[in-house]
């Protein structure tokens, strides 16, 4: 158990819909990262938050947004969903500093039908 | 620019064989960090080890060992007496800069057959 909790574990929704994925980081971790893993794209970094502020942005679509709340949990919002958004979405957390490993949650498997 | 090369894409071994997963990291940065992660068929991403660029100490943890050599830019991972449960995708992942993200490549798919 990594200590990072993601909910829900599975999500099936229709095209055009909006969903919210939730992540609770490990206790004491200030950084939260979101990744998308699909068969064709591999593991893609989406966005990072550090103590409530956006720190780095990757290949995140405009239809996607995220935020980190004062209690440090984070949410990833995916809207106007398309079939191609079907993927495994991971959240990871780490303490501050570049020399620290990130611990990943079990992921949310999103299926868009 | 930095570059991680995991030249092996797929490795298949028979249980109890030793197997080494290669990772070569090229960068002009003098300070960097390398991580190994494992993703078994169940899907979760598991952190295995971190190594700093200024620490060339090799490490052994049970059946796992890591050999980091800055001179050759290699950070190789060896599994001794492999088991079926070692079947997974293994990622060698670099990180530089403050609070920077981990950038994953395609990894190495290891299949251990009984």
């Amino acid at each position: 158990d990594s200590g990072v909790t993601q909910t829900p574990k599975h999500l099936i929704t229709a095209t055009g819909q909006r969903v919210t994925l939730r992540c609770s980081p490990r206790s004491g971790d200030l950084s939260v990262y979101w990744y998308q893993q699909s068969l064709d794209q591999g593991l893609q970094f989406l966005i990072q938050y550090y103590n409530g502020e956006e720190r780095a942005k990757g290949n995140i679509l405009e239809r996607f947004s995220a935020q980190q709340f004062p209690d440090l949990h984070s949410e990833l919002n995916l809207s106007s969903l398309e079939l191609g958004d079907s993927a495994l979405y991971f959240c990871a957390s780490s303490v501050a500093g570049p020399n620290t490993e990130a611990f990943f949650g079990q992921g949310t498997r999103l299926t868009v039908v | 620019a930095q570059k991680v090369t995991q030249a092996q894409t797929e490795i298949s071994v028979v249980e109890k064989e030793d197997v080494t997963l290669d990772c070569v990291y090229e960068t002009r940065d003098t300070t960097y960090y390398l991580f190994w992660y494992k993703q078994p068929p169940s899907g979760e991403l598991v952190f295995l080890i971190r190594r700093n660029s200024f620490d060339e100490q090799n490490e052994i943890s049970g059946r796992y060992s890591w050999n980091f050599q800055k001179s050759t830019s290699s950070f190789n991972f060896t599994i001794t007496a492999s088991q079926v449960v070692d079947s997974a995708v293994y990622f060698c992942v670099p990180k530089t800069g403050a609070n920077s993200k981990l950038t994953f490549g395609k990894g190495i798919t290891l299949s251990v057959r009984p």
Side-chain angles (χ1 to χ4, degrees), chain A residues 36-110:
Chain A
Q36 178 195 57
Q37 187 176 35
S38 59
L39 280 175
D40 52 344
Q41 296 288 332
L43 258 168
Q44 297 283 315
F45 167 72
L46 295 178
I47 198 164
Q48 178 200 356
Y49 279 82
Y50 176 75
N51 202 20
E53 300 287 327
E54 183 184 303
R55 179 60 64 96
K57 218 167 188 176
N59 302 322
I60 187 166
L61 300 172
E62 282 192 14
R63 300 183 285 109
F64 296 1
S65 65
Q67 54 183 328
Q68 186 179 27
F69 295 87
D71 67 352
L72 300 178
H73 91 271
S74 178
E75 293 181 356
L76 178 67
N77 299 297
L78 315 176
S79 61
S80 303
L81 285 167
E82 301 174 0
L83 296 178
D85 297 327
S86 296
L88 191 51
Y89 291 84
F90 286 104
C91 168
S93 74
S94 70
V95 298
N99 61 334
T100 57
E101 53 273 16
F103 291 88
F104 285 76
Q106 291 197 315
T108 293
R109 183 165 294 283
L110 173 67

Side-chain angles (χ1 to χ4, degrees), chain A residues 35 37 48 55 98 101-102, chain B residues 37 39 50 97 99 101-102:
Chain A
Y35 286 81
Q37 187 176 35
Q48 178 200 356
R55 179 60 64 96
E101 53 273 16
Chain B
Y37 281 84
Q39 187 173 34
R50 163 176 48 90
N99 288 318
K101 60 188 185 293
L102 295 165

Side-chain angles (χ1 to χ4, degrees), chain B residues 1-110:
Chain B
Q2 58 189 37
K3 181 182 173 185
V4 164
T5 303
Q6 292 189 268
Q8 307 144 310
T9 52
E10 294 185 20
I11 301 175
S12 182
V13 299
V14 176
E15 206 169 18
K16 296 183 185 167
E17 280 186 35
D18 298 346
V19 57
T20 294
L21 311 182
D22 299 328
C23 173
V24 175
Y25 180 57
E26 298 168 58
T27 181
R28 289 184 180 176
D29 295 317
T30 54
T31 300
Y32 55 87
Y33 310 92
L34 290 171
F35 303 78
W36 276 94
Y37 281 84
K38 165 184 177 178
Q39 187 173 34
S42 52
E44 71 269 26
L45 275 159
V46 180
F47 164 72
L48 295 175
I49 193 169
R50 163 176 48 90
R51 181 57 76 233
N52 307 327
S53 55
F54 44 84
D55 180 3
E56 292 195 63
Q57 217 172 9
N58 294 330
E59 183 152 338
I60 298 175
S61 175
R63 296 185 297 107
Y64 297 170
S65 62
W66 289 268
N67 184 328
F68 176 56
Q69 292 189 339
K70 197 168 182 177
S71 59
T72 57
S73 303
S74 67
F75 185 28
N76 297 334
F77 173 33
T78 297
I79 302 174
T80 303
S82 60
Q83 299 177 2
V84 172
V85 293
D86 295 325
S87 296
V89 180
Y90 290 85
F91 299 94
C92 174
V93 189
K95 191 177 182 187
T96 57
N99 288 318
S100 64
K101 60 188 185 293
L102 295 165
T103 302
F104 287 80
K106 295 191 186 304
I108 302 171
T109 300
L110 173 65

